Amino acid sequence: DAGVTQSPTHLIKTRGQQVTLRCSPKSGHDTVSWYQQALGQGPQFIFQYYEEEERQRGNFPDRFSGHQFPNYSSELNVNALLLGDSALYLCASTLTQMGGRASETQYFGPGTRLLVL
Amino acid sequence: GNSVTQMEGPVTLSEEAFLTINCTYTATGYPSLFWYVQYPGEGLQLLLKATKADDKGSNKGFEATYRKETTSFHLEKGSVQVSDSAVYFCALITGAQKLVFGQGTRLTINP
């Protein structure tokens, strides 16, 4: 049973560049959430995708955007990178049940560590 | 808004010591509560959860009880091992379906 996978594992970018991070959900899951974890902090919710649409969004600027594909995999895009975007980006997946409510238990991938210089 | 507050770390204990990591929360509605663990260089792993008041979550010797009257979900383990060294996160989720995390508590167990 494949768990949540993310790529790449590490990435170095410079200020102003753009970056794309990728996530494949756990087998059987259809809902993907992205979190940003700054060093020494707890993860912060960025957004959640279901049925190829953004269903919820946290307090992140429009520079952060995403996409979900028909196979439920997802991408996180960050434009105009700032030094403060350096963090571990975590993808989590779950299953949305009948009635449109996502299961509360989310399974996390190993993360992509982004360093912006 | 919803929030989670954990005891500040780092916490350092000797092997076989008793562990408590405090967690309190503020939430509208009736959240479900979680403890996640993060080992060095890895993502988050679900350790245990509780979905309603007085529920006790347990896994791998760890326990936490959902206390609505004190809005708490303290993590306990009777005898810690070196392999328990990690960062522990308390979290909640409500109908909004997004996890809200505490700041994490780094635990180091010395042999």
Short mmCIF file of all heavy atoms in Angstrom, two decimals, chain B residues 10-63:
data_model
loop_
_atom_site.label_atom_id
_atom_site.label_comp_id
_atom_site.label_asym_id
_atom_site.label_seq_id
_atom_site.Cartn_x
_atom_site.Cartn_y
_atom_site.Cartn_z
N PRO B 10 12.84 22.51 24.80
CA PRO B 10 12.87 21.07 24.64
C PRO B 10 12.74 20.34 25.98
O PRO B 10 12.97 20.92 27.03
CB PRO B 10 14.25 20.81 24.03
CG PRO B 10 15.09 21.95 24.49
CD PRO B 10 14.17 23.13 24.62
N VAL B 11 12.33 19.09 25.90
CA VAL B 11 12.20 18.24 27.06
C VAL B 11 13.27 17.14 26.97
O VAL B 11 13.37 16.48 25.94
CB VAL B 11 10.80 17.59 27.12
CG1 VAL B 11 10.73 16.59 28.27
CG2 VAL B 11 9.73 18.67 27.27
N THR B 12 14.02 16.97 28.02
CA THR B 12 15.06 15.95 28.06
C THR B 12 14.80 15.04 29.26
O THR B 12 14.65 15.53 30.39
CB THR B 12 16.47 16.55 28.18
OG1 THR B 12 16.69 17.43 27.07
CG2 THR B 12 17.52 15.46 28.18
N LEU B 13 14.73 13.73 29.00
CA LEU B 13 14.47 12.75 30.04
C LEU B 13 15.46 11.59 29.93
O LEU B 13 16.05 11.39 28.86
CB LEU B 13 13.05 12.19 29.91
CG LEU B 13 11.89 13.16 30.08
CD1 LEU B 13 10.59 12.47 29.72
CD2 LEU B 13 11.84 13.68 31.51
N SER B 14 15.55 10.84 30.98
CA SER B 14 16.32 9.60 30.95
C SER B 14 15.43 8.44 30.53
O SER B 14 14.20 8.50 30.71
CB SER B 14 16.93 9.31 32.33
OG SER B 14 17.82 10.34 32.69
N GLU B 15 16.05 7.43 29.95
CA GLU B 15 15.29 6.25 29.55
C GLU B 15 14.51 5.69 30.73
O GLU B 15 14.98 5.71 31.88
CB GLU B 15 16.26 5.20 29.01
CG GLU B 15 15.64 4.25 28.01
CD GLU B 15 16.68 3.46 27.23
OE1 GLU B 15 17.83 3.34 27.70
OE2 GLU B 15 16.36 3.00 26.13
N GLU B 16 13.29 5.23 30.46
CA GLU B 16 12.36 4.65 31.43
C GLU B 16 11.67 5.70 32.30
O GLU B 16 10.88 5.33 33.18
CB GLU B 16 13.04 3.58 32.30
CG GLU B 16 13.58 2.41 31.48
CD GLU B 16 14.18 1.32 32.35
OE1 GLU B 16 14.16 1.45 33.58
OE2 GLU B 16 14.69 0.34 31.77
N ALA B 17 11.92 6.97 32.08
CA ALA B 17 11.21 8.00 32.83
C ALA B 17 9.77 8.13 32.35
O ALA B 17 9.41 7.66 31.26
CB ALA B 17 11.93 9.34 32.68
N PHE B 18 8.94 8.80 33.15
CA PHE B 18 7.55 9.07 32.80
C PHE B 18 7.49 10.38 32.02
O PHE B 18 8.14 11.36 32.37
CB PHE B 18 6.69 9.19 34.07
CG PHE B 18 5.23 9.38 33.79
CD1 PHE B 18 4.41 8.28 33.58
CD2 PHE B 18 4.68 10.65 33.73
CE1 PHE B 18 3.06 8.44 33.32
CE2 PHE B 18 3.33 10.83 33.47
CZ PHE B 18 2.52 9.73 33.26
N LEU B 19 6.69 10.36 30.96
CA LEU B 19 6.59 11.53 30.08
C LEU B 19 5.20 12.14 30.14
O LEU B 19 4.19 11.42 30.07
CB LEU B 19 6.87 11.12 28.63
CG LEU B 19 6.53 12.16 27.55
CD1 LEU B 19 7.52 13.32 27.62
CD2 LEU B 19 6.52 11.54 26.18
N THR B 20 5.15 13.46 30.24
CA THR B 20 3.93 14.22 30.01
C THR B 20 4.28 15.42 29.14
O THR B 20 5.22 16.15 29.46
CB THR B 20 3.31 14.74 31.33
OG1 THR B 20 2.97 13.64 32.17
CG2 THR B 20 2.06 15.55 31.03
N ILE B 21 3.53 15.60 28.08
CA ILE B 21 3.63 16.81 27.25
C ILE B 21 2.24 17.43 27.25
O ILE B 21 1.27 16.82 26.81
CB ILE B 21 4.07 16.51 25.80
CG1 ILE B 21 5.44 15.84 25.78
CG2 ILE B 21 4.11 17.81 25.01
CD1 ILE B 21 5.92 15.47 24.38
N ASN B 22 2.17 18.65 27.77
CA ASN B 22 0.88 19.31 27.91
C ASN B 22 0.42 19.95 26.61
O ASN B 22 1.21 20.49 25.84
CB ASN B 22 0.95 20.39 28.99
CG ASN B 22 1.08 19.80 30.38
OD1 ASN B 22 0.72 18.65 30.61
ND2 ASN B 22 1.63 20.58 31.30
N CYS B 23 -0.89 19.87 26.40
CA CYS B 23 -1.52 20.47 25.23
C CYS B 23 -2.89 21.00 25.63
O CYS B 23 -3.68 20.27 26.22
CB CYS B 23 -1.67 19.46 24.11
SG CYS B 23 -2.67 20.02 22.71
N THR B 24 -3.15 22.26 25.33
CA THR B 24 -4.48 22.83 25.52
C THR B 24 -4.93 23.44 24.20
O THR B 24 -4.11 23.79 23.35
CB THR B 24 -4.50 23.90 26.63
OG1 THR B 24 -3.56 24.93 26.30
CG2 THR B 24 -4.15 23.30 27.98
N TYR B 25 -6.23 23.60 24.06
CA TYR B 25 -6.75 24.08 22.79
C TYR B 25 -7.87 25.08 23.00
O TYR B 25 -8.51 25.13 24.06
CB TYR B 25 -7.25 22.91 21.93
CG TYR B 25 -8.47 22.22 22.50
CD1 TYR B 25 -9.75 22.62 22.15
CD2 TYR B 25 -8.33 21.15 23.38
CE1 TYR B 25 -10.87 22.01 22.68
CE2 TYR B 25 -9.44 20.52 23.90
CZ TYR B 25 -10.70 20.95 23.56
OH TYR B 25 -11.82 20.33 24.09
N THR B 26 -8.10 25.86 21.96
CA THR B 26 -9.25 26.75 21.87
C THR B 26 -9.92 26.46 20.55
O THR B 26 -9.26 26.44 19.50
CB THR B 26 -8.81 28.23 21.90
OG1 THR B 26 -8.11 28.49 23.12
CG2 THR B 26 -10.02 29.16 21.80
N ALA B 27 -11.22 26.19 20.59
CA ALA B 27 -11.91 25.84 19.35
C ALA B 27 -13.38 26.17 19.46
O ALA B 27 -13.98 26.08 20.53
CB ALA B 27 -11.73 24.36 19.03
N THR B 28 -13.96 26.52 18.32
CA THR B 28 -15.41 26.63 18.22
C THR B 28 -15.92 25.26 17.81
O THR B 28 -15.28 24.53 17.04
CB THR B 28 -15.81 27.68 17.19
OG1 THR B 28 -15.17 27.37 15.95
CG2 THR B 28 -15.38 29.07 17.62
N GLY B 29 -17.05 24.88 18.32
CA GLY B 29 -17.59 23.58 17.99
C GLY B 29 -16.92 22.47 18.77
O GLY B 29 -16.36 22.69 19.85
N TYR B 30 -16.90 21.30 18.19
CA TYR B 30 -16.39 20.10 18.87
C TYR B 30 -15.28 19.49 18.03
O TYR B 30 -15.53 18.65 17.16
CB TYR B 30 -17.54 19.11 19.08
CG TYR B 30 -18.67 19.73 19.88
CD1 TYR B 30 -19.77 20.29 19.25
CD2 TYR B 30 -18.59 19.79 21.27
CE1 TYR B 30 -20.79 20.88 19.98
CE2 TYR B 30 -19.61 20.37 22.01
CZ TYR B 30 -20.72 20.92 21.35
OH TYR B 30 -21.71 21.50 22.07
N PRO B 31 -14.04 19.87 18.32
CA PRO B 31 -12.94 19.38 17.48
C PRO B 31 -12.59 17.94 17.77
O PRO B 31 -12.88 17.42 18.86
CB PRO B 31 -11.78 20.30 17.87
CG PRO B 31 -12.07 20.66 19.30
CD PRO B 31 -13.57 20.77 19.38
N SER B 32 -11.94 17.31 16.83
CA SER B 32 -11.20 16.08 17.09
C SER B 32 -9.76 16.47 17.36
O SER B 32 -9.26 17.47 16.83
CB SER B 32 -11.28 15.14 15.88
OG SER B 32 -12.59 14.66 15.71
N LEU B 33 -9.10 15.67 18.19
CA LEU B 33 -7.75 16.02 18.65
C LEU B 33 -6.76 14.93 18.26
O LEU B 33 -7.10 13.74 18.25
CB LEU B 33 -7.75 16.22 20.17
CG LEU B 33 -8.72 17.27 20.69
CD1 LEU B 33 -8.74 17.27 22.21
CD2 LEU B 33 -8.35 18.65 20.17
N PHE B 34 -5.54 15.36 17.97
CA PHE B 34 -4.52 14.45 17.46
C PHE B 34 -3.17 14.75 18.12
O PHE B 34 -2.89 15.87 18.51
CB PHE B 34 -4.34 14.63 15.95
CG PHE B 34 -5.57 14.44 15.13
CD1 PHE B 34 -6.50 15.45 15.00
CD2 PHE B 34 -5.81 13.24 14.48
CE1 PHE B 34 -7.65 15.28 14.24
CE2 PHE B 34 -6.95 13.06 13.72
CZ PHE B 34 -7.87 14.07 13.60
N TRP B 35 -2.35 13.71 18.17
CA TRP B 35 -0.92 13.86 18.39
C TRP B 35 -0.20 13.26 17.19
O TRP B 35 -0.47 12.11 16.80
CB TRP B 35 -0.46 13.16 19.67
CG TRP B 35 -0.69 13.98 20.89
CD1 TRP B 35 -1.72 13.88 21.78
CD2 TRP B 35 0.14 15.05 21.37
NE1 TRP B 35 -1.57 14.81 22.78
CE2 TRP B 35 -0.45 15.54 22.55
CE3 TRP B 35 1.34 15.64 20.92
CZ2 TRP B 35 0.10 16.59 23.29
CZ3 TRP B 35 1.88 16.67 21.66
CH2 TRP B 35 1.27 17.14 22.82
N TYR B 36 0.67 14.08 16.59
CA TYR B 36 1.53 13.63 15.51
C TYR B 36 2.97 13.64 16.01
O TYR B 36 3.34 14.46 16.87
CB TYR B 36 1.42 14.56 14.30
CG TYR B 36 0.22 14.32 13.42
CD1 TYR B 36 -1.00 14.92 13.71
CD2 TYR B 36 0.31 13.51 12.29
CE1 TYR B 36 -2.10 14.70 12.88
CE2 TYR B 36 -0.78 13.29 11.47
CZ TYR B 36 -1.99 13.88 11.77
OH TYR B 36 -3.08 13.67 10.96
N VAL B 37 3.81 12.77 15.45
CA VAL B 37 5.22 12.71 15.81
C VAL B 37 6.06 12.89 14.54
O VAL B 37 5.69 12.40 13.46
CB VAL B 37 5.57 11.39 16.53
CG1 VAL B 37 5.24 10.18 15.67
CG2 VAL B 37 7.03 11.36 16.95
N GLN B 38 7.15 13.63 14.69
CA GLN B 38 8.06 13.88 13.56
C GLN B 38 9.46 13.47 13.95
O GLN B 38 10.07 14.12 14.81
CB GLN B 38 8.00 15.35 13.16
CG GLN B 38 8.77 15.67 11.89
CD GLN B 38 8.53 17.11 11.44
OE1 GLN B 38 8.43 18.02 12.25
NE2 GLN B 38 8.44 17.32 10.13
N TYR B 39 9.96 12.41 13.35
CA TYR B 39 11.33 11.97 13.58
C TYR B 39 12.27 12.80 12.71
O TYR B 39 11.85 13.36 11.69
CB TYR B 39 11.46 10.48 13.30
CG TYR B 39 10.62 9.65 14.23
CD1 TYR B 39 9.40 9.11 13.81
CD2 TYR B 39 11.01 9.42 15.55
CE1 TYR B 39 8.61 8.36 14.66
CE2 TYR B 39 10.23 8.68 16.41
CZ TYR B 39 9.03 8.16 15.96
OH TYR B 39 8.24 7.44 16.82
N PRO B 40 13.53 12.90 13.08
CA PRO B 40 14.47 13.76 12.36
C PRO B 40 14.47 13.49 10.86
O PRO B 40 14.59 12.35 10.41
CB PRO B 40 15.82 13.40 13.00
CG PRO B 40 15.47 12.95 14.38
CD PRO B 40 14.15 12.24 14.25
N GLY B 41 14.31 14.55 10.09
CA GLY B 41 14.37 14.44 8.64
C GLY B 41 13.16 13.81 7.98
O GLY B 41 13.19 13.51 6.78
N GLU B 42 12.09 13.62 8.74
CA GLU B 42 10.92 12.95 8.18
C GLU B 42 9.68 13.83 8.26
O GLU B 42 9.68 14.89 8.87
CB GLU B 42 10.67 11.63 8.93
CG GLU B 42 11.81 10.64 8.80
CD GLU B 42 11.49 9.31 9.45
OE1 GLU B 42 10.33 9.08 9.82
OE2 GLU B 42 12.44 8.50 9.61
N GLY B 43 8.59 13.35 7.62
CA GLY B 43 7.31 14.03 7.73
C GLY B 43 6.60 13.65 9.02
O GLY B 43 7.20 13.09 9.93
N LEU B 44 5.33 13.95 9.09
CA LEU B 44 4.55 13.70 10.30
C LEU B 44 3.90 12.33 10.25
O LEU B 44 3.38 11.92 9.21
CB LEU B 44 3.45 14.75 10.44
CG LEU B 44 3.90 16.20 10.55
CD1 LEU B 44 2.70 17.12 10.62
CD2 LEU B 44 4.76 16.39 11.78
N GLN B 45 3.90 11.67 11.40
CA GLN B 45 3.20 10.39 11.53
C GLN B 45 2.12 10.54 12.58
O GLN B 45 2.38 11.10 13.66
CB GLN B 45 4.15 9.28 11.96
CG GLN B 45 5.26 8.97 10.98
CD GLN B 45 6.18 7.88 11.48
OE1 GLN B 45 5.79 7.06 12.33
NE2 GLN B 45 7.40 7.84 10.99
N LEU B 46 0.93 10.06 12.29
CA LEU B 46 -0.14 10.09 13.28
C LEU B 46 0.21 9.14 14.41
O LEU B 46 0.49 7.96 14.18
CB LEU B 46 -1.47 9.68 12.63
CG LEU B 46 -2.66 9.60 13.58
CD1 LEU B 46 -2.99 10.98 14.14
CD2 LEU B 46 -3.87 9.02 12.85
N LEU B 47 0.18 9.65 15.64
CA LEU B 47 0.48 8.84 16.80
C LEU B 47 -0.81 8.32 17.44
O LEU B 47 -0.95 7.14 17.71
CB LEU B 47 1.28 9.65 17.82
CG LEU B 47 1.73 8.94 19.09
CD1 LEU B 47 2.58 7.73 18.78
CD2 LEU B 47 2.47 9.91 20.00
N LEU B 48 -1.76 9.23 17.68
CA LEU B 48 -3.04 8.83 18.25
C LEU B 48 -4.05 9.95 18.06
O LEU B 48 -3.67 11.08 17.74
CB LEU B 48 -2.90 8.46 19.74
CG LEU B 48 -2.27 9.47 20.68
CD1 LEU B 48 -3.27 10.50 21.16
CD2 LEU B 48 -1.65 8.78 21.89
N LYS B 49 -5.32 9.61 18.28
CA LYS B 49 -6.36 10.62 18.12
C LYS B 49 -7.53 10.31 19.04
O LYS B 49 -7.67 9.19 19.55
CB LYS B 49 -6.84 10.67 16.68
CG LYS B 49 -7.63 9.45 16.24
CD LYS B 49 -8.16 9.63 14.81
CE LYS B 49 -9.03 8.45 14.40
NZ LYS B 49 -9.55 8.62 13.01
N ALA B 50 -8.37 11.33 19.26
CA ALA B 50 -9.61 11.18 20.02
C ALA B 50 -10.64 12.10 19.40
O ALA B 50 -10.32 13.24 19.06
CB ALA B 50 -9.39 11.52 21.50
N THR B 51 -11.84 11.62 19.25
CA THR B 51 -12.84 12.38 18.50
C THR B 51 -13.92 13.01 19.35
O THR B 51 -14.68 13.84 18.84
CB THR B 51 -13.49 11.49 17.43
OG1 THR B 51 -14.09 10.38 18.09
CG2 THR B 51 -12.46 10.99 16.43
N LYS B 52 -14.04 12.64 20.62
CA LYS B 52 -15.04 13.27 21.46
C LYS B 52 -14.59 13.26 22.91
O LYS B 52 -13.66 12.54 23.29
CB LYS B 52 -16.39 12.58 21.30
CG LYS B 52 -16.44 11.14 21.71
CD LYS B 52 -17.82 10.56 21.44
CE LYS B 52 -17.96 9.15 22.00
NZ LYS B 52 -17.04 8.19 21.37
N ALA B 53 -15.30 14.05 23.70
CA ALA B 53 -14.94 14.22 25.10
C ALA B 53 -14.86 12.88 25.82
O ALA B 53 -15.68 11.99 25.60
CB ALA B 53 -15.95 15.13 25.79
N ASP B 54 -13.83 12.75 26.66
CA ASP B 54 -13.54 11.59 27.49
C ASP B 54 -12.98 10.40 26.71
O ASP B 54 -12.65 9.37 27.32
CB ASP B 54 -14.75 11.14 28.30
CG ASP B 54 -15.24 12.23 29.23
OD1 ASP B 54 -14.40 12.97 29.78
OD2 ASP B 54 -16.47 12.37 29.40
N ASP B 55 -12.86 10.52 25.40
CA ASP B 55 -12.18 9.47 24.61
C ASP B 55 -10.72 9.43 25.00
O ASP B 55 -10.09 10.46 25.24
CB ASP B 55 -12.27 9.77 23.11
CG ASP B 55 -13.47 9.12 22.46
OD1 ASP B 55 -14.25 8.47 23.18
OD2 ASP B 55 -13.61 9.29 21.24
N LYS B 56 -10.14 8.23 25.00
CA LYS B 56 -8.70 8.08 25.21
C LYS B 56 -8.11 7.49 23.95
O LYS B 56 -8.52 6.42 23.50
CB LYS B 56 -8.42 7.18 26.41
CG LYS B 56 -6.92 6.92 26.61
CD LYS B 56 -6.65 5.94 27.73
CE LYS B 56 -6.86 6.56 29.08
NZ LYS B 56 -6.42 5.66 30.18
N GLY B 57 -7.15 8.19 23.37
CA GLY B 57 -6.38 7.65 22.26
C GLY B 57 -5.13 6.99 22.80
O GLY B 57 -4.54 7.45 23.78
N SER B 58 -4.70 5.90 22.15
CA SER B 58 -3.49 5.23 22.61
C SER B 58 -2.79 4.54 21.45
O SER B 58 -3.44 4.09 20.50
CB SER B 58 -3.80 4.22 23.71
OG SER B 58 -4.68 3.23 23.22
N ASN B 59 -1.47 4.47 21.54
CA ASN B 59 -0.68 3.82 20.51
C ASN B 59 0.77 3.76 20.99
O ASN B 59 1.30 4.74 21.53
CB ASN B 59 -0.75 4.60 19.19
CG ASN B 59 -0.05 3.90 18.04
OD1 ASN B 59 0.07 2.68 18.02
ND2 ASN B 59 0.40 4.68 17.08
N LYS B 60 1.42 2.62 20.81
CA LYS B 60 2.85 2.45 21.12
C LYS B 60 3.18 2.85 22.56
O LYS B 60 4.28 3.36 22.83
CB LYS B 60 3.71 3.26 20.16
CG LYS B 60 3.54 2.88 18.71
CD LYS B 60 4.45 3.72 17.82
CE LYS B 60 4.26 3.34 16.36
NZ LYS B 60 5.14 4.16 15.46
N GLY B 61 2.25 2.66 23.49
CA GLY B 61 2.50 3.00 24.88
C GLY B 61 2.16 4.43 25.23
O GLY B 61 2.16 4.81 26.40
N PHE B 62 1.86 5.26 24.24
CA PHE B 62 1.45 6.64 24.47
C PHE B 62 -0.07 6.69 24.67
O PHE B 62 -0.81 5.93 24.05
CB PHE B 62 1.82 7.53 23.29
CG PHE B 62 3.29 7.76 23.12
CD1 PHE B 62 4.05 6.90 22.34
CD2 PHE B 62 3.91 8.84 23.73
CE1 PHE B 62 5.42 7.11 22.18
CE2 PHE B 62 5.26 9.06 23.57
CZ PHE B 62 6.02 8.20 22.80
N GLU B 63 -0.51 7.64 25.51
CA GLU B 63 -1.94 7.82 25.75
C GLU B 63 -2.24 9.31 25.86
O GLU B 63 -1.38 10.10 26.29
CB GLU B 63 -2.38 7.16 27.06
CG GLU B 63 -2.33 5.66 27.06
CD GLU B 63 -2.85 5.11 28.38
OE1 GLU B 63 -2.89 5.86 29.37
OE2 GLU B 63 -3.21 3.92 28.41
#
